[in-house]
Amino acid sequence: MSFLGKCVSLTIVYFSFYQSSVKAQAVSQPAQIAWGRYFDDTISDSDFAKEDLGERIYYYLNDVFIVGRSKSDTLGFANCDGSYSGGSGDAFVASYNPSCQKYNWIRYFGSSASTEYAYCAALDRVGDQTWIYIAGEVNGTKKQVNIAGQACVGGCSSVFQTTNNDKWDGFIAKYNAVTGQLVRWTFFGGIGRDQILGIAVDTISHKVYFNGYTESPAWLNYSSYSFTPFKSDLSGVGDMFIGCLDSCLNTLQYFSYYGGNNSDRGHDIQIIYKNAARYLILSGTTESSTGIVPPGSNYYDNTYGGGTDGKSPDAFMLIWNIKNLSNNPDWSTYFGGSAADRGRGTDITRNYDIYWTGQTQSSPDNSGTFSPTSNAYQPQKNLGIDCFLTKFHISSFNPVTVSLDFFTYFGGEKDDFAKSVRAFHSNNSADGRDSVAIAGLTYSADLPSKDSTAYFLSKSINGNNNENKRDAFIAVLTNDPANPTANQKLSSFMYLGGENDETDIKQNDVLVQKSYNPGLESGPNGSLFIIYSTKGIKTKKNGNIPIEYSAFHCPAGGCNSQNSIQPDAYFAQVYPFPQRFIPSQCLAGKMENATSGNELINFYPVPFSNYTILNINLNEDKDADVVIYDILGNIVIHKNLSLYAGDNKINLDFSDYAKGVYLSRINLAGKIYENKIIKQ
């Protein structure tokens, strides 16, 4: 993620010029599982033998944020005063510093009469303040859940919905991402079941968009609002909904149902910025043969592949201009064959590629709309359930014009479930647009069966090739930019898990399931972060855990015992490819922007004592010339760097220099950025 700051222009005048060249102390990083951590592993508390589920993971401004649900800690709260009211399960959000390997803070959200789950989160930065919104559901055993939506701090006096309308409502909570302070939170729902499964923040207007699933018939008086919904009531058993609130979580900017004659669920929401326009990318799963692709609209496939019985759903996707939400989507599609197909995560690149993943039981169809492309890694489906991976490309926005660039199956001899996707930089690609990572769950022991030149970080499922339980996995597929019609290559693969199940799904992907993990996120220096739920109880290197799992650890009082096999949330950082980069040091303090534009450049911390980190986030590979001057214009640090697309972190050592103001001048492929930093 990135945000836009102010560019500070400085004029440097000096008479003497002295240059000292200091080489960047880069290190070679092999492809590996760098580290892993159980959510509960720092707390000696017998209650942590209970269930902890990890759902999604985010990397933002040098920190990792994780969300999910915990039954272990009974001290959850959702009150402004911080009084405890934990129940049978609480949502949690935690901030973790991957360089320091420690938590910044952990917060719980819950009530003594209800169970809460955080399914998703979104981060936003306004000036020098960073916020994190978490969203999910509040599920009470009865209509009253003993908590009320509140505005805790700041200039907002109220929130949109202070009380629940039913025992099962959605919620959105806003926290200070630096301190973990609860700022405000609101219920969101009517008389029926409501879940928020996806959330995104417009980083310019700071409006909060979200989608999910609802069984609540019309519960808003639309005449009280200034918007017209696309659809004002339920169409079938349950619908996807789309909502928008202001940053105070007070004023409803938009709400609409979206669906057809059966059940429809939204899973993910993203925002595309195109000049002054904003487009929502919405994906999910539908059992409706009508209502998803409006008649006469712009579409890829307007035919529901699963028949009309409502038992073989299709995936679906919408592209919608936020100024046009009362009319048909700008583009829409079903995606699926004659069997069950489910849409899950999406990721958007800067050149408007939409990567989309999910799971399918459908073989290729005769129409050609659900047939792998000629460059597919896996052109045919294996038995059971396979993952699918697609890339749609938006070539025009006026009108919206979309093409299918590739579609491949990914799966083994047993069932495989893709959940998350991230466009990923590879050393094999000139601009990073042709590699993509997917994360999911699998029963198949034969996934890394092709491309012997790939990096296999862990080849064995469940530690001993036992296929009775699921493992999490990450797979990276790459197209050769020099030969785009050639088959995709499996560039990197890893199983993640022990001898027990790496999930808490009890049923076969129905709404009563507790989790949609694993979650996947792009990290710094060519890494990936993953979070999932694990029931592994043997965490030492032995016959049941492969040697690659030295990242696992089980501190006293933190892991499950032989007598209580409950899942733990587990998150890790992995390097799918060898990399060469400047490692980060463990530093605390505030971050200051150095510039704006397509690149994000900042220093962390500022002010600093002896060390600060220069963080450069790039759209593509670039060379950089970094020069640091003292106030007299003398060069004290000079680094020539070859940087990758994504986050690059450069340690700057000022231990030999005096306290005071220093000036930075960074040349990125001919663009000059300048700012001042302070040693104190």
Side-chain angles (χ1 to χ4, degrees):
M1 300 181 182
S2 64
F3 59 89
L4 302 180
K6 294 183 178 180
C7 181
V8 180
S9 179
L10 298 173
T11 300
I12 304 174
V13 180
Y14 55 92
F15 296 97
S16 62
F17 187 88
Y18 174 76
Q19 178 172 340
S20 63
S21 179
V22 181
K23 293 183 179 180
Q25 299 300 308
V27 299
S28 294
Q29 169 70 64
Q32 66 172 347
I33 303 168
W35 55 264
R37 186 159 194 170
Y38 292 96
F39 171 63
D40 59 6
D41 68 3
T42 60
I43 302 173
S44 297
D45 187 339
S46 60
D47 282 343
F48 267 105
K50 297 179 182 178
E51 177 185 271
D52 304 293
L53 304 179
E55 188 67 17
R56 289 290 178 265
I57 188 165
Y58 306 87
Y59 179 71
Y60 194 72
L61 300 182
N62 297 318
D63 286 320
V64 168
F65 297 86
I66 60 174
V67 296
R69 187 185 71 187
S70 173
K71 287 187 176 181
S72 292
D73 197 309
T74 58
L75 301 181
F77 63 86
N79 303 306
C80 291
D81 60 5
S83 59
Y84 296 124
S85 57
S88 58
D90 294 322
F92 74 81
V93 54
S95 173
Y96 184 80
N97 186 309
S99 297
C100 301
Q101 291 283 290
K102 66 179 183 181
Y103 289 102
N104 300 311
W105 48 263
I106 301 173
R107 298 292 181 266
Y108 299 91
F109 179 95
S111 160
S112 59
S114 58
T115 299
E116 288 73 30
Y117 199 106
Y119 285 111
C120 53
L123 287 117
D124 188 29
R125 189 165 174 87
V126 184
D128 61 353
Q129 295 290 321
T130 305
W131 314 103
I132 181 168
Y133 297 85
I134 69 171
E137 64 185 40
V138 177
N139 182 7
T141 56
K142 49 189 176 181
K143 185 174 180 180
Q144 296 301 320
V145 297
N146 297 348
I147 52 175
Q150 295 174 293
C152 303
V153 297
C156 306
S157 59
S158 61
V159 295
F160 171 70
Q161 185 179 335
T162 58
T163 59
N164 55 305
N165 278 325
D166 199 7
K167 68 177 184 178
W168 203 312
D169 274 5
F171 81 89
I172 303 175
K174 182 177 182 179
Y175 289 83
N176 184 312
V178 176
T179 66
Q181 181 182 22
L182 178 63
V183 178
R184 60 186 64 91
W185 74 274
T186 182
F187 287 104
F188 195 91
I191 307 300
R193 182 176 188 173
D194 304 283
Q195 299 172 297
I196 297 176
L197 300 175
I199 188 170
V201 178
D202 184 330
T203 58
I204 306 301
S205 69
H206 309 295
K207 293 180 180 179
V208 182
Y209 291 87
F210 50 96
N211 70 341
Y213 176 77
T214 180
E215 295 175 357
S216 297
W219 56 283
L220 293 171
N221 180 5
Y222 290 106
S223 63
S224 302
Y225 299 95
S226 60
F227 60 82
T228 301
F230 176 78
K231 187 173 287 187
S232 60
D233 204 349
L234 279 175
S235 301
V237 177
D239 273 1
M240 179 180 83
F241 66 83
I242 310 159
C244 177
L245 289 164
D246 67 345
S247 60
C248 287
L249 304 181
N250 172 257
T251 303
L252 186 65
Q253 308 281 326
Y254 183 77
F255 177 81
S256 179
Y257 297 88
Y258 194 96
N261 57 310
N262 213 298
S263 182
D264 316 284
R265 184 171 70 247
H267 268 289
D268 199 17
I269 183 170
Q270 304 263 3
I271 298 175
I272 283 183
Y273 302 83
K274 177 61 176 176
N275 299 325
R278 305 284 186 276
Y279 292 83
L280 298 181
I281 310 296
L282 302 132
S283 70
T285 300
T286 177
E287 296 177 348
S288 298
S289 59
T290 63
I292 296 299
V293 179
S297 62
N298 183 16
Y299 59 85
Y300 168 74
D301 183 6
N302 67 344
T303 303
Y304 177 67
T308 58
D309 61 3
K311 297 180 181 179
S312 298
D314 269 8
F316 73 90
M317 183 186 292
L318 315 175
I319 302 177
W320 218 338
N321 190 318
I322 63 172
K323 294 183 178 179
N324 195 38
L325 294 176
S326 298
N327 300 313
N328 287 344
D330 295 77
W331 182 87
S332 56
T333 190
Y334 289 103
F335 194 75
S338 59
D341 313 282
R342 303 179 188 277
R344 289 297 186 256
T346 59
D347 195 28
I348 316 298
T349 68
R350 291 179 173 93
N351 72 322
Y352 309 120
D353 289 329
I354 305 172
Y355 287 95
W356 187 23
T357 196
Q359 55 219 42
T360 177
Q361 291 179 283
S362 297
S363 298
D365 62 15
N366 295 324
S367 69
T369 55
F370 193 74
S371 296
T373 50
S374 60
N375 61 344
Y377 170 76
Q378 182 183 321
Q380 296 294 326
K381 190 184 77 67
N382 281 316
L383 298 174
I385 301 171
D386 271 6
C387 310
F388 74 78
L389 173 65
T390 70
K391 181 174 76 170
F392 285 92
H393 177 66
I394 305 175
S395 57
S396 173
F397 286 88
N398 189 25
V400 172
T401 305
V402 182
S403 61
L404 177 66
D405 277 11
F406 74 69
F407 162 33
T408 185
Y409 292 105
F410 185 83
E413 59 189 356
K414 293 198 174 183
D415 289 344
D416 315 285
F417 310 84
K419 305 293 184 178
S420 302
V421 60
R422 283 293 178 267
F424 187 74
H425 173 78
S426 160
N427 291 334
N428 301 324
S429 172
D431 56 13
R433 292 182 300 171
D434 296 308
S435 290
V436 59
I438 60 173
L441 302 168
T442 181
Y443 286 107
S444 299
D446 62 334
L447 287 183
S449 60
K450 299 180 181 179
D451 292 328
S452 60
T453 59
Y455 295 99
F456 295 118
L457 279 68
S458 177
K459 295 182 180 180
S460 299
I461 189 170
N462 303 121
N464 56 2
N465 288 321
N466 178 357
E467 297 179 63
N468 296 322
K469 306 295 183 182
R470 276 167 285 198
D471 264 11
F473 73 87
I474 299 176
V476 181
L477 297 177
T478 301
N479 272 10
D480 181 359
N483 189 8
T485 61
N487 288 356
Q488 295 164 323
K489 171 184 167 54
L490 180 64
S491 298
S492 183
F493 181 85
M494 67 203 77
Y495 288 109
L496 291 153
E499 75 278 25
N500 283 311
D501 228 354
E502 311 311 322
T503 180
D504 194 53
I505 299 174
K506 305 289 188 182
Q507 292 80 15
N508 185 22
D509 195 28
V510 294
L511 281 176
V512 294
Q513 74 184 48
K514 298 179 180 179
S515 177
Y516 298 101
N517 66 54
L520 188 67
E521 174 68 299
S522 301
N525 302 315
S527 66
L528 292 166
F529 294 107
I530 186 172
I531 190 170
Y532 56 93
S533 303
T534 175
K535 289 184 178 179
I537 57 175
K538 295 179 180 178
T539 54
K540 297 180 179 179
K541 288 183 284 185
N542 54 38
N544 292 326
I545 297 293
I547 194 169
E548 290 89 349
Y549 283 86
S550 59
F552 281 83
H553 56 281
C554 187
C559 296
N560 298 319
S561 68
Q562 294 280 354
N563 298 321
S564 178
I565 306 178
Q566 296 292 335
D568 274 356
Y570 185 82
F571 59 107
Q573 185 177 22
V574 302
Y575 288 87
F577 302 103
Q579 297 286 346
R580 187 169 175 81
F581 64 92
I582 308 298
S584 298
Q585 291 191 5
C586 180
L587 299 172
K590 118 179 157 171
M591 175 180 291
E592 182 154 319
N593 293 332
T595 185
S596 65
N598 292 329
E599 290 87 13
L600 167 65
I601 301 175
N602 49 47
F603 292 87
Y604 176 81
V606 173
F608 58 91
S609 296
N610 289 318
Y611 298 92
T612 188
I613 291 175
L614 168 60
N615 186 84
I616 303 177
N617 183 283
L618 299 177
N619 303 337
E620 58 187 0
D621 294 359
K622 287 185 179 180
D623 291 332
D625 184 70
V626 178
V627 184
I628 308 294
Y629 302 87
D630 64 21
I631 199 64
L632 297 177
N634 299 311
I635 296 178
V636 296
I637 294 176
H638 185 194
K639 295 178 182 288
N640 293 305
L641 304 171
S642 294
L643 305 176
Y644 292 128
D647 279 321
N648 299 266
K649 299 181 185 302
I650 299 96
N651 283 334
L652 299 177
D653 183 354
F654 284 80
S655 56
D656 292 334
Y657 303 114
K659 297 178 181 180
V661 176
Y662 292 84
L663 309 175
S664 70
R665 188 177 190 271
I666 301 167
N667 185 328
L668 283 174
K671 292 184 178 180
I672 307 299
Y673 305 105
E674 296 176 328
N675 197 28
K676 67 178 180 179
I677 53 178
I678 301 173
K679 177 181 178 179
Q680 64 179 10

